[in-house]
Amino acid sequence: IEYAGLGGDHHFLNLGYMNSYYFPVGSRFVMKYRADFRFIQPLGHTRYETIPLDERIFLGGDFMVRGFRPYRLGPHYTHHRDVPRGGLSLQYYSVEMVRRIIEDWEVFGFLDAGHLSARTWDFGRMSVSIGYGLRFKVINSIPPVTIGMGYPLNAHSRGDVKKFFFSFGGNF
């Protein structure tokens, strides 16, 4: 929970709940479950339009709803459809099945779903993707490398899709 606005121009509450659960299945498989919720509640004279862009919530990309372009899910500016506005309500769910191949190499398959809205406390239509990937460590002192493919099941347009993803770190 965060309160913003003490002595400032914008007043709002930022509430978040992030949860991950790992469940071993045999000696080589792990099921990973994740559920995140974030809500921004404007207070006083502050409205969605006046909350600074860097305080809003964004969704889509290599770490949340893989297979979609970064920040493409959720509200966009009316006259600039490619420019995201950010939102006030986020829900994100992910299920990932991981199989260790050898010590520092693993493959995974996933199902991601998320929703982002400019309305407060809003739950709505989920954007869903499925996919697979490979996660490996080159050197033990640096985070793992993750590469994969995500396939959106209900993208609004081809411009929202970015199937291939690559990242450093085991972000789940």
Side-chain angles (χ1 to χ4, degrees):
I1 298 174
E2 171 192 20
Y3 172 74
L6 210 59
D9 296 331
H10 311 286
H11 301 273
F12 58 90
L13 280 174
N14 191 344
L15 302 140
Y17 171 80
M18 291 141 220
N19 191 16
S20 295
Y21 179 72
Y22 294 61
F23 182 77
V25 181
S27 62
R28 292 185 179 249
F29 287 95
V30 175
M31 286 294 295
K32 298 179 177 181
Y33 302 96
R34 178 175 171 185
D36 294 358
F37 302 95
R38 283 193 58 203
F39 301 100
I40 296 175
Q41 177 63 56
L43 302 171
H45 297 295
T46 302
R47 299 182 335 271
Y48 166 69
E49 295 80 15
T50 62
I51 291 178
L53 196 59
D54 64 339
E55 294 288 350
R56 296 181 192 169
I57 307 167
F58 292 88
L59 181 64
D62 298 346
F63 303 112
M64 295 181 88
V65 194
R66 296 163 279 192
F68 285 91
R69 290 196 181 281
Y71 316 126
R72 290 297 287 235
L73 301 176
H76 289 79
Y77 287 97
T78 306
H79 300 297
H80 303 284
R81 285 292 311 153
D82 289 339
V83 180
R85 293 179 68 183
L88 300 179
S89 298
L90 172 136
Q91 56 185 319
Y92 172 66
Y93 307 97
S94 183
V95 176
E96 186 175 290
M97 171 67 97
V98 179
R99 184 186 193 286
R100 186 176 348 118
I101 301 171
I102 57 175
E103 184 177 342
D104 291 332
W105 291 72
E106 60 188 29
V107 294
F108 61 89
F110 66 86
L111 175 108
D112 290 349
H115 172 71
L116 180 66
S117 172
R119 294 187 301 266
T120 56
W121 306 98
D122 183 48
F123 291 85
R125 178 188 173 272
M126 303 292 263
S127 296
V128 180
S129 68
I130 59 171
Y132 56 88
L134 174 70
R135 193 174 292 122
F136 59 93
K137 280 191 157 194
V138 179
I139 301 170
N140 279 336
S141 62
I142 63 171
V145 175
T146 302
I147 58 173
M149 296 291 287
Y151 300 93
L153 300 180
N154 57 349
H156 289 290
S157 71
R158 287 193 47 81
D160 293 343
V161 176
K162 180 183 170 235
K163 292 181 183 174
F164 179 76
F165 59 91
F166 172 85
S167 64
F168 287 102
N171 295 304
F172 181 78

